[in-house]
Amino acid sequence: MFRPMLRAQLVTDVTAAVLLGGLLVLLRVSADQSFLWLVTVVGLSAALAIRRLSPGLALALCWVVAVFEMATWQTQPDPSNVLMAGVLFTTSAYGSRRVRIAGLVSAVGGSFVAAGFIGLQDYQRRSGIQTASTPALETLQVVLAAFAAVLLLLLLPWLAGLVRRARRSASMSREAQLVAERDAARADRAVAVEQERVRIARDMHDIVAHSLAVVIAQADGARYAAKTDPGVADQALATISTTARSALGDVRELLGALRHEQGTVPTPEAADLEVLVAEMREVGLDVRVDREGDPTGLPTTTQLAVYRIVQESLTNAWKHGEGGTPVHASLTYRPDTVEVTVVNRRADDGTRGPGTGHGLVGMRERVAMTGGSMTAGPRGDDFTVAVRMPVVPASGQFPRGRTTQTEQERTR
């Protein structure tokens, strides 16, 4: 029955009702010695004071006052009846469905009742007076005019309350939409974090696959050289130790990043390609690199993508390519694009080329994430990986050096 309201709202309603009621009393106190109208003013002022606190109760109080007016035969129309308009407004603006319908019925039904009561009073006044036409005809005209006036007084505020209710509902819908958009933004951030973790997992695959390839090659060489050339065996074992320690450190950092959102992530750059090529040459892969342009101004994301693509391509060339044949890597750095091409001779023993595992898929995902394009497949006797990426990735860029995942999320 009672709506929750702020104390300031209730004080405002009561103050406005008291002021309006007091003004009506001042207008009537010297003109009318019968104080029955005072009950009407007080009752309607009370209804106006609680109109937002309890619209249904305020409407019922208006009907009680209206019946009292008619029972005591008070002169109509009374100026205090204007206060009913405020009550009708709140029934449609703040009331429940039943109260809203009751307000509409009261606006229309009350107009009929008021017009009939006014017509009855008017007919009594005219019954003893000689007029140009019959008293009934003149009273009918008064009834029609009174009905139109009262209906206008009561129905228009009720319709205005409906408009106010619709605007409030629209405002709440907009707020709900904003909340939904904020939730969607949080979900997007969660997806971005998950994508970053997938990227870290892809980096882990690259690190482990490359490092194990080097370790396996050096271990095989050391096993064969142990009997004939112990010095070569010692060198191979040293390479295995260095490679394994480096891979272990990288994996630990990656696992730390996956475990904690503030963990650091290793971000190799284009300058680290020299070390990568040297490692591949140590395992017996003849790598020939052609460079054009300067990579130092590239965003770290692009440099990381170039490094991982070259790393995976060389690892696949060592695994699946024809042994003893050179691998050609071409790196072209332009102001707006970066092009990477790696070509190796396919093995002629029936083994499939690179891309049989997750490495080629990871490269495609990495290139797609930067907004670039990639082709990989046989070209005659060779297997070619060709990548073209924009200098500024579509997904943004990381700060240089070692960055945290939180910083990466802000750059998306």
Side-chain angles (χ1 to χ4, degrees):
M1 179 178 292
F2 295 97
R3 297 176 59 251
M5 289 181 59
L6 298 177
R7 181 178 298 178
Q9 293 175 323
L10 187 59
V11 170
T12 300
D13 290 349
V14 172
T15 302
V18 169
L19 291 177
L20 289 175
L23 180 61
L24 290 171
V25 169
L26 291 177
L27 292 176
R28 290 285 300 275
V29 69
S30 60
D32 194 344
Q33 299 301 320
S34 175
F35 288 97
L36 291 175
W37 58 267
L38 187 58
V39 178
T40 301
V41 172
V42 172
L44 292 179
S45 298
L48 190 67
I50 63 171
R51 68 188 188 278
R52 285 198 293 179
L53 180 64
S54 179
L57 184 59
L59 182 64
L61 185 57
C62 284
W63 271 109
V64 171
V65 173
V67 172
F68 173 77
E69 283 186 279
M70 292 183 289
T72 55
W73 207 253
Q74 296 184 38
T75 304
Q76 295 294 327
D78 191 283
S80 61
N81 294 148
V82 176
L83 300 181
M84 294 182 182
V87 176
L88 267 295
F89 174 85
T90 54
T91 58
S92 59
Y94 302 103
S96 62
R97 184 174 181 274
R98 290 183 178 180
V99 174
R100 194 160 61 249
I101 294 176
L104 176 60
V105 173
S106 299
V108 178
S111 300
F112 279 107
V113 174
F117 183 69
I118 292 173
L120 182 60
Q121 288 184 327
D122 184 78
Y123 183 77
Q124 285 186 340
R125 285 194 304 268
R126 294 178 187 276
S127 60
I129 302 175
Q130 190 69 26
T131 59
S133 60
T134 60
L137 183 59
E138 293 183 357
T139 298
L140 180 60
Q141 295 175 350
V142 171
V143 168
L144 293 177
F147 174 77
V150 176
L151 184 64
L152 192 68
L153 174 67
L154 300 181
L155 188 59
L156 282 183
W158 187 87
L159 294 174
L162 278 186
V163 174
R164 174 70 178 85
R165 190 186 196 94
R167 293 183 62 182
R168 189 172 67 252
S169 298
S171 176
M172 293 176 63
S173 297
R174 287 194 296 270
E175 291 178 1
Q177 182 180 359
L178 290 176
V179 171
E181 290 176 353
R182 286 196 293 268
D183 291 341
R186 294 191 188 99
D188 289 341
R189 286 195 293 270
V191 170
V193 172
E194 187 61 27
Q195 288 177 343
E196 188 59 33
R197 294 191 175 192
V198 171
R199 177 185 295 182
I200 293 172
R202 188 186 304 119
D203 287 344
M204 185 181 296
H205 166 268
D206 295 342
I207 291 171
V208 172
H210 168 73
S211 300
L212 286 180
V214 174
V215 168
I216 291 170
Q218 293 293 332
D220 290 341
R223 183 162 57 89
Y224 289 117
K227 297 180 179 179
T228 60
D229 192 347
V232 174
D234 289 341
Q235 184 179 358
L237 291 174
T239 302
I240 290 175
S241 176
T242 302
T243 304
R245 282 192 175 90
S246 176
L248 180 60
D250 289 342
V251 169
R252 281 177 176 173
E253 292 189 35
L254 287 170
L255 290 176
L258 286 172
R259 188 177 298 112
H260 304 289
E261 291 189 0
Q262 299 298 327
T264 57
V265 181
T267 56
E269 299 183 353
D272 298 321
L273 288 174
E274 295 290 344
V275 179
L276 174 64
V277 170
E279 290 178 353
M280 297 307 296
R281 286 172 177 166
E282 287 182 4
V283 300
L285 190 66
D286 183 8
V287 184
R288 302 177 184 181
V289 182
D290 296 326
R291 295 180 179 82
E292 180 181 347
D294 184 12
T296 55
L298 293 177
T300 306
T301 305
T302 304
Q303 295 196 39
L304 174 61
V306 170
Y307 181 90
R308 293 305 185 198
I309 289 168
V310 174
Q311 181 187 53
E312 185 64 31
S313 299
L314 295 181
T315 302
N316 285 336
W318 180 83
K319 288 180 179 179
H320 307 289
E322 182 178 346
T325 59
V327 179
H328 297 275
S330 175
L331 305 173
T332 304
Y333 304 100
R334 294 192 174 92
D336 55 345
T337 58
V338 178
E339 295 180 3
V340 180
T341 304
V342 180
V343 182
N344 66 276
R345 181 63 58 85
R346 290 189 295 161
D348 56 2
D349 56 359
T351 53
R352 299 176 60 186
T356 57
H358 298 286
L360 198 60
V361 175
M363 282 195 292
R364 292 188 187 278
E365 292 177 356
R366 191 181 296 277
V367 172
M369 192 161 43
T370 64
S373 60
M374 170 182 166
T375 60
R379 292 185 183 178
D381 295 333
D382 298 330
F383 191 93
T384 303
V385 176
V387 174
R388 181 184 178 91
M389 296 182 297
V391 167
V392 179
S395 58
Q397 67 180 57
F398 299 162
R400 290 305 184 100
R402 302 167 67 85
T403 62
T404 65
Q405 288 188 11
T406 301
E407 290 171 341
Q408 293 173 11
E409 291 168 10
R410 289 198 297 265
T411 58
R412 284 184 181 270

